[in-house]
Amino acid sequence: MLIFTAPGQGAQTPGFLSPWLELPGLAEQLGAWSELAGRDLIRLGTTGTAEEITDTAVAQPLLVAAALAVAGLIGDEPSSFCPGPQDAAGSEQSKRRRFADAAAGHSVGELAAGAIAGVLSAEDAIKLTRVRGEAMAASCQAVPTGMTAVLGGDEDAVLAAIADAGLTPANINTAGQIVAGGTLEQLAEFAANPPARARLRPLRVAGAFHTKHMAPAVEALAAAAAGTPVKDPAITLLSNLDGAVVTSGTDWVERITRQVAHPVRWDLCMATMARLGVTAFIELLPGGTLTGMAKRALPGIELLAIKTPDQLDAARALLKAHSGTEHNGSLGGTPPLQPPEKDHGLEPKEACS
């Protein structure tokens, strides 16, 4: 079983799109999506400065567009992400195609995963990402907020300390890595009284994503999503809210909307991957962050973090070897699954929104 994963904010680096623009049709595709995003994604992904692409309103559509562009290059039929629901019963078209068995995205990466799973079009995913990014950027201006990564320590003690400081565990990424979000005053108090055996690392972000401070952005995204046509997922699609497999397009929309102001439970998403029997994990452009987390949480599976076009052949080889394998829950309403036993040995790169 092969899963496509899409990274969230923080994965972007200056110039990461440059080597991809030589591929036929990619620049034209990104140009069209730039109109929908309200930003020149090609310029931002090639010559944009680190400061420019850190802007929440810029980073989010840039990341979703990059992930979708590469996903469309990996399958047997480029630009056709997956068989539509009408093909799921085993038509000749469905049998002929090779594509991922599952999809998941970290935070804003969920918009890319939804399009990959056939819930909404790539164009609508870009449109919603623009609304999401702009609304979250605006929410950051209301109250000075921020985020701090907590590395190591006892998980229960860390969560208790976060709660005592009035903060939110905005990202629970993997064992030994929790990201706390809240006001700058609360974060300063937390830094003065850190949890035992834990190290704190303040993050360079615009605000406290996935906390109550993003409530205005939830309203904006809900209003935009209300007019977006959706279908039920055609492949297994995981949710950041609780790691559950989502089988309804309407439910997916509700989840990605609420999730803007709720913690990202990537740990539970990886637990679900393990329980479903994922054997190969491809992280779409710009890869690295999620693969680093998976190295420890998902031992024994094949991992590929896509960064450059010369990795496309390796991605297609993984797809050929692992897609379409026997697994439970592809379209069948698998309930939320519990995370694996704690393991505090990993210190991966943080991911935020």
Side-chain angles (χ1 to χ4, degrees):
M1 180 180 189
L2 183 142
I3 189 167
F4 277 175
T5 61
Q9 197 167 332
Q12 74 278 11
T13 56
F16 78 95
L17 277 182
S18 294
W20 294 87
L21 296 181
E22 298 177 6
L23 299 183
L26 199 102
E28 290 78 5
Q29 179 68 83
L30 290 173
W33 287 346
S34 292
E35 295 293 324
L36 301 177
R39 288 156 181 82
D40 186 346
L41 299 177
I42 294 176
R43 185 193 70 78
L44 290 165
T46 55
T47 62
T49 65
E51 183 177 0
E52 279 184 293
I53 64 173
T54 299
D55 180 349
T56 300
V58 169
Q60 294 195 16
L62 182 60
L63 286 166
V64 170
L68 290 178
V70 172
L73 297 172
I74 296 175
D76 283 354
E77 297 185 8
S79 82
S80 294
F81 290 131
C82 63
Q86 68 274 14
D87 299 326
S91 69
E92 288 303 313
Q93 182 183 30
S94 176
K95 292 175 182 177
R96 180 169 55 84
R97 290 183 182 178
R98 284 192 179 275
F99 198 68
D101 301 292
H106 189 287
S107 189
V108 72
E110 287 203 286
L111 274 296
I116 288 168
V119 175
L120 74 171
S121 69
E123 290 73 21
D124 282 338
I126 299 293
K127 291 177 185 177
L128 289 183
T129 303
R130 175 182 181 176
V131 172
R132 185 186 191 273
E134 291 177 352
M136 291 177 75
S139 296
C140 292
Q141 303 302 315
V143 178
T145 59
M147 305 180 84
T148 293
V150 185
L151 305 173
D154 176 78
E155 184 172 302
D156 292 337
V158 168
L159 291 173
I162 289 173
D164 289 344
L167 299 168
T168 299
N171 292 180
I172 303 181
N173 286 326
T174 188
Q177 188 198 113
I178 297 174
V179 178
T183 67
L184 297 184
E185 182 179 352
Q186 291 169 328
L187 289 170
E189 180 182 342
F190 184 61
N193 300 280
R197 300 187 303 279
R199 293 180 295 109
L200 306 187
R201 182 180 298 169
L203 303 181
R204 294 183 60 185
V205 294
F209 305 126
H210 305 296
T211 70
K212 63 183 179 181
H213 300 287
M214 294 294 111
V218 173
E219 297 178 6
L221 183 57
T228 301
V230 297
K231 299 177 180 178
D232 294 342
I235 59 174
T236 300
L237 180 61
L238 307 188
S239 169
N240 280 182
L241 273 180
D242 52 13
V245 173
V246 183
T247 58
S248 160
T250 301
D251 183 32
W252 178 84
V253 169
E254 293 175 354
R255 283 169 170 270
I256 62 107
T257 301
R258 290 172 51 208
Q259 195 266 334
V260 168
H262 284 76
V264 171
R265 295 303 306 267
W266 189 250
D267 60 331
L268 296 183
C269 286
M270 290 193 293
T272 300
M273 294 177 204
R275 291 285 296 275
L276 289 173
V278 167
T279 56
F281 178 111
I282 294 179
E283 183 180 0
L284 300 168
L285 186 70
T289 302
L290 302 182
T291 305
M293 298 178 192
K295 284 181 180 177
R296 188 74 176 209
L298 298 169
I301 74 168
E302 294 197 55
L303 304 171
L304 178 63
I306 296 182
K307 299 179 181 181
T308 57
D310 59 8
Q311 295 173 296
L312 286 174
D313 285 343
R316 292 173 184 136
L318 276 182
L319 191 70
K320 183 177 181 180
H322 292 269
S323 69
T325 54
E326 292 288 332
H327 62 278
N328 295 319
S330 178
L331 294 170
T334 300
L337 299 167
Q338 296 303 310
E341 295 299 316
K342 298 175 184 178
D343 186 338
H344 295 283
L346 184 64
E347 185 177 311
K349 181 180 176 181
E350 300 85 5
C352 299
S353 69

